[in-house]
Structures are given as structure tokens and as C-alpha cells.
Amino acid sequence: MTYVSGAARWLLVSDLHLDVSDDDPRHPGRVLPGFIRREVPAAAGPQQHVVFVGDTFELAGLTEGESLARLEAVLARHPETFQALKACATRGVQLHFVCGNHDVELARPSVATRLSALLAPDDPTRVQVHPWLLYVPSVLVAEHGHLHHALHRIPEVLRTAVNGTDELDLPPLAAWHAHPARSRLSRAGAVARACLASERAERRVRRPAYDKLLQSESQRLTLSGTAVRELARLSRFRTVSALPLTATRMVITATGRRASGGQAPAAAARVADILETHGSTVAWYISAHTHRALEAPLEASDTRYINTGTWSSDIRGQGPDQLDRLAFPYALIDVADDGAISGGLRYWHPDAG
């Protein structure tokens, strides 16, 4: 649970995709320590929070033992990042990890506990893992955003905080990539089965067993139970709409073009509307996943939208990071002593003074 009291400073980044290799030309694992040293000062001041809005690590489709081993191997491969995060926790900075589709296994209790023990051995509460949402009353709500993309959606996402993905079916796109050596026909069959499984999972989300998890999440977030249910059911998977949309995107990609991304996604406005309806309006709705850094207003809402983009080389946006690969996007949200909230999308440059 996140408590806000007095002044606070929130820094949010996403999609570092740290792995056991360091092959990405932008080398996010090497760049992040400098960002932390410069933007998260050691001097006393407002409570500082660093939020990773999903896909921080490559931890998808693994067993419990594999997840633990991979997490430790990733941190060992990026020792400067590991030490910088550990130093943050030591001096009282709160670290938040929102799970994405690439690091969903981070929500496993054993993996989340291990991450906390590694980064904050003296006070594990300095590290929090959020399987779905990070909600700060009046200030922000952050989620990775894959739950609003049909082929990545995990309808029963809260079950990952019980036993990972052990008892969950793969989302359709993950099913396609699960066995790349198989024939296209075999992989297409796996996608079809995954679509049917996603439809069944959407029905289970509306049943009493899952509602208990939603009630627990409501208490953790200090957010209305009705609002949490509506958010959980916001972007329901439907095969009849998901497959034609995906086919269209594949055609666009095959022609060498990129889907446009200059506006906030429709789901962002719906999230803001649900929160406002239930008296939980926030100043900022923040997501990631698309690798398109963006700040934009939301129609008929006082909430503004930020997509924190990516620190990997797979940039899909139209911002300055597309032309300058040393421009790394992040969100900065400041809460003053009087409650005034300011901030927006920023770009950090390692060579800046």
C-alpha cells in the first residue's frame, strides 16, 4: 500500500528490458545508474519514489525456480544498476516495480520477496511489486498497459501474485512466440486455442472466486471495490475484434510503416472516467508498453496522460528519442507541501550538464 504524506517526488521509467545479455545498443542497464545518481539526489527533501512501469526485466514464461535464477542473473549482469538501486533503498527512496507482460513473473510472491531482499536487505518494505496497478490518491495511477492490448492481455492478472502464471493460459501473442521452431500452422493453432482460453478467462473474471482477489486488491490500493471491478473488466478480450485488428497491424508493419501514436489511447480516457466517477480522480494516468513516449490531454478530463516510452532500442514513438538515441524518456511528478501537483514527460541525456 502506498501512503502519500506531504511533499513527494515521483520518477517513472519503463521498458528497460534488462536481460542476462547486454546486447541492446542503447545499453539501458549502463545508462540507468547515471540517471539515478543525477535525478535521485541523496540530499534531504521530499519523499522520493522511483517507479519502473513494467518490462524492467525479461522474466516471462518461466517457472518459479527459473524466475528466481533469471532475476539474480540479470542483476548480476548489470552490477552498476543493482548497486544504484540498492543505494537508493538504503537512503530511504521507495522503489516500485509495476509488472508488465515481459516481467509478469516478478509478481510471484517468492520472486517479489527475493527482489526486495536483494535491493533492500535492511528494510524490504522499501521495494514494492505491483502486479497490476500503482495508485496514489489524487496524484497518479500507473499500469504497464498490456492489459488493454488484446493479444497481450492476461484477464486474471491478479492470480500472478498468487503463483505466477503456473495456472494461467498464455495470451495469444505469447502462444505464437512460445515455440518458434514449429510450423506456422502449428503456431496458428496455438493462437486459436489461446484466444478461446482468453475468452474463458474473461468469464471467470466475473465470478465470485476472482472477485475475492479484486476485493483484496481494492483494500491494498485503497480504491473503491466497484472502481476496481470496472477497471478489471475495462478491456475485455474478444476474438472477433482482436484478430482483424492484429491482421491490420501486421500488414502495416509488413509495409515498413509504423502505426501512428500521437494521441492517448482510448483506454486511458476510460480509466480516468472510471476513477472520476468513483471520486478518485488523479492528475496523471501513466502507462507504457507501446514504446511510444507521449504526453497528451484526455478528452473531457482533468487527468493528463503520459506514456513513458522505452529505454531499449525498439523505439516506436515520434519523440526526440527517435532521432537522438541518447534521449531517454521518463515521467516526473512533483507534489508540493501544499498539495499542488506538477510534472510531465521529460527526456534525460547522459551528456547533459
Side-chain angles (χ1 to χ4, degrees):
M1 183 181 300
T2 300
Y3 295 94
V4 178
S5 178
R9 191 169 193 251
W10 297 80
L11 292 168
L12 303 97
V13 302
S14 68
D15 294 83
L16 276 72
H17 292 279
L18 299 179
D19 205 349
V20 291
S21 66
D22 190 23
D23 297 334
D24 191 296
R26 290 183 95 196
H27 301 293
R30 301 185 200 175
V31 176
L32 184 65
F35 171 80
I36 290 175
R37 285 192 294 269
R38 191 183 304 170
E39 301 299 329
V40 190
Q47 174 62 53
Q48 298 186 87
H49 300 261
V50 177
V51 183
F52 296 92
V53 194
D55 287 3
T56 308
F57 308 109
E58 290 294 333
L59 287 178
L62 303 176
T63 65
E64 181 176 18
E66 291 170 341
S67 299
L68 289 165
R70 175 71 65 83
L71 175 65
E72 296 194 17
V74 169
L75 291 174
R77 184 64 181 83
H78 303 278
E80 291 186 10
T81 287
F82 174 41
Q83 293 301 326
L85 294 175
K86 192 173 180 180
C88 276
T90 298
R91 63 177 187 265
V93 176
Q94 193 74 47
L95 302 176
H96 303 265
F97 293 85
V98 179
C99 295
N101 53 302
H102 281 257
D103 54 10
V104 62
E105 304 299 345
L106 196 61
R108 286 181 181 272
S110 60
V111 180
T113 298
R114 185 58 179 153
L115 179 67
S116 298
L118 288 169
L119 298 184
D122 296 330
D123 184 4
T125 63
R126 289 292 177 190
V127 179
Q128 297 184 28
V129 174
H130 307 271
W132 174 24
L133 294 175
L134 166 62
Y135 168 67
V136 184
S138 302
V139 181
L140 64 88
V141 62
E143 61 176 323
H144 184 61
H146 61 296
L147 299 185
H148 303 300
H149 287 219
L151 296 189
H152 292 282
R153 178 168 166 79
I154 303 174
E156 300 171 285
V157 64
L158 292 179
R159 294 196 186 281
T160 61
V162 179
N163 55 9
T165 56
D166 289 347
E167 298 177 8
L168 297 180
D169 294 292
L170 290 176
L173 194 58
W176 172 261
H177 291 296
H179 301 286
R182 294 181 180 176
S183 69
R184 287 182 174 271
L185 182 61
S186 174
R187 296 167 74 189
V191 171
R193 291 189 294 274
C195 288
L196 292 175
S198 292
E199 296 270 14
R200 291 193 296 269
E202 294 289 3
R203 292 193 290 271
R204 289 195 295 270
V205 165
R206 287 160 168 75
R207 293 174 183 170
Y210 195 75
D211 197 63
K212 291 181 180 179
L213 295 179
L214 291 174
Q215 291 176 28
S216 296
E217 185 71 353
S218 168
Q219 295 171 2
R220 186 185 76 84
L221 295 171
T222 64
L223 187 60
S224 156
T226 304
V228 168
R229 289 188 198 92
E230 292 182 11
L231 290 170
R233 302 169 185 177
L234 176 59
S235 297
R236 181 175 180 176
F237 177 89
R238 291 179 174 85
T239 304
V240 293
S241 59
L243 294 186
L245 179 61
T246 302
T248 300
R249 289 180 176 175
M250 290 177 67
V251 169
I252 292 174
T253 302
T255 61
R257 293 181 290 147
R258 292 283 194 181
S260 61
Q263 296 180 335
R270 296 198 296 269
V271 168
D273 182 62
I274 289 171
L275 293 174
E276 183 176 355
T277 298
H278 296 283
S280 302
T281 301
V282 293
W284 301 92
Y285 168 63
I286 299 170
S287 71
H289 181 59
T290 64
H291 290 198
R292 296 182 177 94
L294 175 70
E295 179 178 347
L298 295 179
E299 186 176 354
S301 175
D302 291 332
T303 301
R304 288 186 66 83
Y305 171 74
I306 291 178
N307 187 303
T308 44
T310 182
W311 282 35
S312 77
S313 293
D314 187 20
I315 302 168
R316 303 169 194 164
Q318 300 172 358
D321 51 338
Q322 189 66 260
L323 298 175
D324 181 359
R325 293 307 177 97
L326 289 180
F328 294 87
Y330 69 101
L332 169 64
I333 311 297
D334 278 318
V335 183
D337 287 319
D338 62 0
I341 303 169
S342 60
L345 180 65
R346 304 284 189 267
Y347 289 87
W348 184 80
H349 202 291
D351 297 333

